[in-house]
Amino acid sequence: MNPQTLQQRLRPYASRATLVWLLLALATLVSVHFGGQRPAAGRLGVVIVLVIAFVKVRVVGTEFMELRVAPRWLRLAFDAWAVAVCAALVGLYLYPLAGIPA
Amino acid sequence: MSGSGESIAAPRIPAEPGIWVLVGGDLLVFSLFFLSFATYRRDAVELYASAQAQVGHGIGIANTLLLLTGSWFVYRGVEYARRDGPHAGANLLLMGALTGVAFLLNKAVEWSTLFAQGASAYENDYFMFFFMFTGIHAFHVLLGTGVLLAFQARMREGAARSPSMWVIEAGGIFWHLVDLLWLVLFALLYLA
């Protein structure tokens, strides 16, 4: 196999999508570290888990669903949905009725 | 970056508008799911935490990484099909479908383990939501896997038989939607 062929064979892996995939996988592991299976993830842990999840959501939307080439209104609608749902979830998690053992 | 220069091109709606209506509808329905889950948790923080500990997170992590990897395959498959013709993307879409199959197998193992432990959707709010949401989501995965399998089979038969490029793109967007919804379900049901 000559070097050029090798380079051509490796080309699919050296792409923007691969970098995106790597970041998403790393973010998943980071969120497992902060949330995970402690009796209660704790207030800060919960916020970190939720925010990381919606950052990943936005990256999937922008990169994989190609919203980065979409008209502004579509990108804004998607981002607004992500921000609104994330904020609502953080609020509901931080202020439980019965009171969380901190 | 070996970019395709699309950032300087005029904005376009990926695939076609119809798929985005479906995406929007699914996002709204699932956001109601997410908010209901979090609302019921306010009365049952301890119960949610112990049920979550019973579920564990090993399979959830594996399934998250599977769907992210599936998204990579499908994205690259669409990119290749766009650049070199439908046949060039078929193998990558097949790999994407296989991640869907692996996800569903994992899900079956997870559910049957929980059933063997006596967990059921009637046990408490957490498990009601858990089985309902992961069940509805698994149906999406099944649908997406079927779409990918059907597309890649026809893409191999050449440009004349292949679905149009915008149809392939729409299939990809649906697949990424399934991935995206799982990312939130994983955070809520397994981690937070």
Side-chain angles (χ1 to χ4, degrees):
Chain A
M1 185 189 302
N2 67 52
Q4 203 165 13
T5 314
L6 180 66
Q7 201 179 19
Q8 279 169 352
R9 278 170 183 256
L10 289 176
R11 199 178 51 188
Y13 307 103
S15 71
R16 178 178 176 129
T18 307
L19 184 65
V20 168
W21 169 81
L22 194 64
L23 290 174
L24 289 168
L26 285 176
T28 300
L29 299 180
V30 170
S31 71
V32 169
H33 173 75
F34 281 103
Q37 300 288 314
R38 277 168 278 166
R43 286 164 167 259
L44 184 62
V46 159
V47 175
I48 291 173
V49 165
L50 291 173
V51 169
I52 288 181
F54 278 90
V55 169
K56 284 157 71 188
V57 160
R58 187 174 187 277
V59 170
V60 169
T62 310
E63 295 295 328
F64 288 153
M65 296 168 105
E66 299 191 303
L67 280 169
R68 65 177 186 276
V69 304
R72 192 178 162 81
W73 64 265
L74 186 56
R75 284 184 285 135
L76 283 178
F78 181 83
D79 289 351
W81 171 84
V83 169
V85 177
C86 184
L89 287 175
V90 167
L92 288 167
Y93 267 74
L94 285 187
Y95 301 103
L97 295 176
I100 188 169
Chain B
M1 211 155 286
S2 61
S4 45
E6 60 196 352
S7 52
I8 52 167
R12 68 178 186 96
I13 293 180
E16 51 86 49
I19 187 70
W20 289 97
V21 175
L22 184 105
V23 168
D26 242 28
L27 289 183
L28 288 181
V29 169
F30 270 83
S31 35
L32 292 180
F33 291 175
F34 305 151
L35 295 174
S36 314
F37 178 83
T39 302
Y40 277 79
R41 179 184 174 276
R42 300 175 82 198
D43 285 327
V45 174
E46 306 265 340
L47 184 150
Y48 270 45
S50 68
Q52 209 171 56
Q54 187 185 340
V55 171
H57 61 195
I59 290 184
I61 296 169
N63 270 348
T64 305
L65 297 176
L66 272 170
L67 285 193
L68 290 174
T69 307
S71 265
W72 182 89
F73 280 125
V74 170
Y75 181 84
R76 296 298 281 173
V78 170
E79 228 178 23
Y80 270 51
R82 202 183 278 146
R83 199 187 58 200
D84 300 331
H87 63 279
N91 282 338
L92 285 158
L93 258 58
L94 175 62
M95 292 302 293
L98 291 181
T99 65
V101 172
F103 177 98
L104 292 170
L105 289 175
N106 270 340
K107 184 87 355 218
V109 170
E110 180 188 56
W111 276 36
S112 50
T113 308
L114 287 169
F115 289 148
Q117 291 169 359
S120 85
Y122 306 105
E123 189 176 340
N124 56 44
D125 286 340
Y126 174 88
F127 277 116
M128 179 192 72
F129 287 127
F130 178 87
F131 287 113
M132 186 171 96
F133 296 168
T134 60
I136 293 171
H137 179 266
F139 179 71
H140 280 70
V141 176
L142 188 67
L143 214 63
T145 303
V147 164
L148 291 179
L149 285 175
F151 281 14
Q152 63 88 30
R154 287 184 51 196
M155 285 158 74
R156 280 173 211 287
E157 293 170 18
R161 291 273 299 149
S162 166
S164 318
M165 200 55 233
W166 71 263
V167 177
I168 298 173
E169 284 180 356
I173 286 169
F174 181 76
W175 186 258
H176 300 309
L177 170 71
V178 173
D179 179 12
L180 179 161
L181 294 171
W182 176 257
L183 296 177
V184 183
L185 285 179
F186 173 64
L188 293 179
L189 297 172
Y190 294 80
L191 298 183

